[in-house]
Amino acid sequence: MLEAALHSGAAHRRSVFEAFARRLPDGRRYGIVAGTGRLLEGIKDFRFGDAELAFLDQHKVVDRQTLDFLADYRFSGDIWGYPEGEAYFPGSPILIVESTFAEACILETYILSVLNHDTAIASAASRMTSAAGNRPCIEMGSRRTQEESATAAARAAVIAGFGSTSNLEAGRRYGIKTVGTAAHSFTLLHDTEREAFEAQIAAFGPGTTLLVDTYDVETGVRTAVELAGDKLGAVRLDSGDLVAQAQWVRELLDNLGNTNTRIVVTSDLDEYAIAALQSAPVDVYGIGTSLVTGSGAPTASMVYKLVSRTNDAGEFVPVAKVAKNKASVGGRKYALRKLNELGIATQEIVGIGHRPEDDGNDRPLLQQFIKNGELLPGWTGHEGVVRAQERHAASMAELPPVVRRLQRGEPAIPTVYEED
């Protein structure tokens, strides 16, 4: 596309691209934006180096004119969007890229790769933390996804309310709290479960978390309490009927005097399993596979469409795809969330070519991330993660209870388009 547009002379037309989702995954009533901070970091450094240019040249992918353009590529436009942690709905203009066609079109795959993955994880994570209530969730999915995706997933999960991750690289990059427990192999390494527990307590103190279901759970709990006393931090359950098991393990711990020892549960948890555990005396959830695969929705199904561009006179004109079931809405968008007197969201108003009128309680949604090619502060790194966590908490407080529930149903916040 870039090569052909350079030949036609249209590559340098000013253009507006928009990333959005036409629909939510089946059974979902909202999604959570994530990945923008990672995306912005990447766009800032988005370059074609000698190795990439040599590959394109040797394999005759593009011509010399296009290679020269790519060699000098620097994004110099503006990027607006919903901040990370924000709830979104079908049609929400999640990311708006304003630049030349040439600069914007080359970013399409990168933008969609990051936003579709991270948003899918954050959307699943938000449902899980909503089901968990005040009980903390630990992200533990690195073994179930590709290595870079694992780090991105940890970041997205923390944005949507997870308290920590087992992924140390995510901790290093983004300042996220890291935690971990021992695996069954650690117990099996030693001649007895008692020796394994003794070694772990000697290394980390009695406040550690001991995995008690390698052999017999009751024996494991009694041995853990005998060795660590009432200072034992937690026991972890990873198999069996977790609801029933947590009930009698809690009773056993209390009878042994360990009323402050917590119960951590793992084992292929998703939002529905977490909801089923609400009545059980569980203190912490460790969540892996379902989280990093989007809990059945591994992509947010976002698309990236040209919605406006200049004509030969330099005037912006809206453009839109009209194909059946895949139509888009042309024109530069401006988004506002309508809130009632209680601060609860009732509608999402998307103005086409104009900013919707604020009634006083309403909240504009789009923020500027890049201006004239320069990354604005506060959206990346650890600061970006903290701001995203705050935005997620505030956004969830605005959603009606029916939207936050796990029952299947259509999105309850309609998107309304207003023409200029």
Side-chain angles (χ1 to χ4, degrees):
M1 291 195 300
L2 173 62
E3 181 176 329
L6 287 169
H7 278 276
S8 74
H12 299 294
R13 281 183 168 176
R14 301 298 299 178
S15 300
V16 179
F17 279 80
E18 176 188 331
F20 64 95
R22 292 190 179 94
R23 62 189 66 84
L24 297 175
D26 291 343
R28 304 283 177 90
R29 288 181 167 134
Y30 70 95
I32 295 295
V33 178
T36 312
R38 291 204 309 119
L39 179 64
L40 296 173
E41 291 170 355
I43 291 176
K44 177 173 64 71
D45 298 323
F46 195 94
R47 304 286 187 272
F48 288 82
D50 292 341
E52 290 80 19
L53 294 169
F55 171 84
L56 297 174
D57 186 22
Q58 292 166 9
H59 291 268
K60 308 301 180 185
V61 177
V62 293
D63 63 11
R64 174 52 53 186
Q65 180 187 15
T66 309
L67 285 170
D68 290 342
F69 174 87
L70 295 176
D72 295 330
Y73 183 88
R74 304 287 188 278
F75 183 76
S76 63
D78 298 338
I79 295 182
W80 297 72
Y82 284 32
E84 288 187 279
E86 183 66 77
Y88 74 90
F89 303 94
S92 295
I94 292 169
L95 197 78
I96 296 174
V97 180
E98 302 174 341
S99 65
T100 65
F101 177 87
E103 288 189 25
C105 83
I106 209 71
L107 295 174
E108 177 172 356
T109 298
Y110 182 50
I111 287 173
L112 291 179
S113 173
V114 173
L115 291 183
N116 269 315
H117 174 268
D118 289 26
T119 296
I121 306 305
S123 298
S126 181
R127 289 160 59 84
M128 293 171 182
T129 54
S130 292
N134 294 326
R135 297 172 178 177
C137 296
I138 306 171
E139 186 282 314
M140 305 177 81
S142 294
R143 301 174 186 179
R144 299 294 188 263
T145 188
Q146 184 262 357
E147 62 272 17
E148 280 299 317
S149 298
T151 305
R155 181 184 182 279
V158 169
I159 283 172
F162 275 60
S164 55
T165 178
S166 64
N167 188 297
L168 291 169
E169 178 61 14
R172 186 188 71 83
R173 289 187 195 177
Y174 306 113
I176 295 170
K177 180 182 177 182
T178 58
V179 301
T181 66
H184 292 98
S185 60
F186 180 77
T187 300
L188 295 169
L189 168 68
H190 295 80
D191 293 335
T192 66
E193 185 175 60
R194 174 180 291 274
E195 290 179 13
F197 288 177
E198 287 174 339
Q200 187 171 333
I201 293 168
F204 304 112
T208 190
T209 297
L210 296 177
L211 178 59
V212 294
D213 71 344
T214 304
Y215 304 115
D216 177 72
V217 175
E218 181 177 351
T219 301
V221 171
R222 290 184 180 278
T223 301
V225 171
E226 179 186 339
L227 295 174
D230 60 6
K231 298 295 192 296
L232 176 62
V235 295
R236 177 160 76 97
L237 304 175
D238 188 54
S239 57
D241 183 340
L242 294 176
V243 174
Q245 196 166 226
Q247 295 280 3
W248 68 257
V249 167
R250 178 74 273 159
E251 184 177 351
L252 177 58
L253 286 169
D254 291 347
N255 289 340
L256 294 172
N258 281 51
T259 56
N260 294 321
T261 297
R262 299 185 301 169
I263 297 176
V264 179
V265 296
T266 54
S267 186
D268 294 327
L269 300 178
D270 62 11
E271 60 266 48
Y272 298 104
I274 293 169
L277 284 161
Q278 285 181 336
S279 62
V282 172
D283 298 288
V284 181
Y285 302 104
I287 308 167
T289 303
S290 290
L291 174 66
V292 299
T293 56
S295 196
T299 172
S301 299
M302 289 190 203
V303 294
Y304 182 74
K305 299 299 179 184
L306 180 67
V307 295
S308 183
R309 49 87 176 167
T310 55
N311 57 21
D312 290 338
E315 301 166 330
F316 273 98
V317 293
V319 294
K321 179 179 177 179
V322 296
K324 184 178 180 181
N325 298 327
K326 287 192 174 183
S328 57
V329 178
R332 206 279 192 196
K333 311 299 193 304
Y334 300 85
L336 181 78
R337 188 156 298 155
K338 303 289 289 184
L339 305 175
N340 64 20
E341 63 278 3
L342 299 177
I344 301 299
T346 59
Q347 282 184 330
E348 191 147 311
I349 307 296
V350 178
I352 302 175
H354 75 102
R355 289 177 172 79
E357 184 177 350
D358 184 348
D359 292 339
N361 293 326
D362 305 332
R363 185 167 64 81
L365 293 166
L366 292 168
Q367 301 287 331
Q368 188 164 18
F369 304 132
I370 292 180
K371 182 176 183 179
N372 297 327
E374 295 296 323
L375 177 61
L376 300 180
W379 302 110
T380 59
H382 178 62
E383 182 181 359
V385 172
V386 172
R387 290 181 67 174
Q389 290 173 312
E390 294 170 349
R391 179 67 263 148
H392 175 257
S395 186
M396 291 299 292
E398 289 178 352
L399 297 186
V402 67
V403 178
R404 298 196 296 267
R405 292 188 192 124
L406 295 181
Q407 288 93 334
R408 302 187 183 279
E410 294 300 314
I413 302 294
T415 301
V416 179
Y417 291 99
E418 288 185 350
E419 298 284 348
D420 190 358

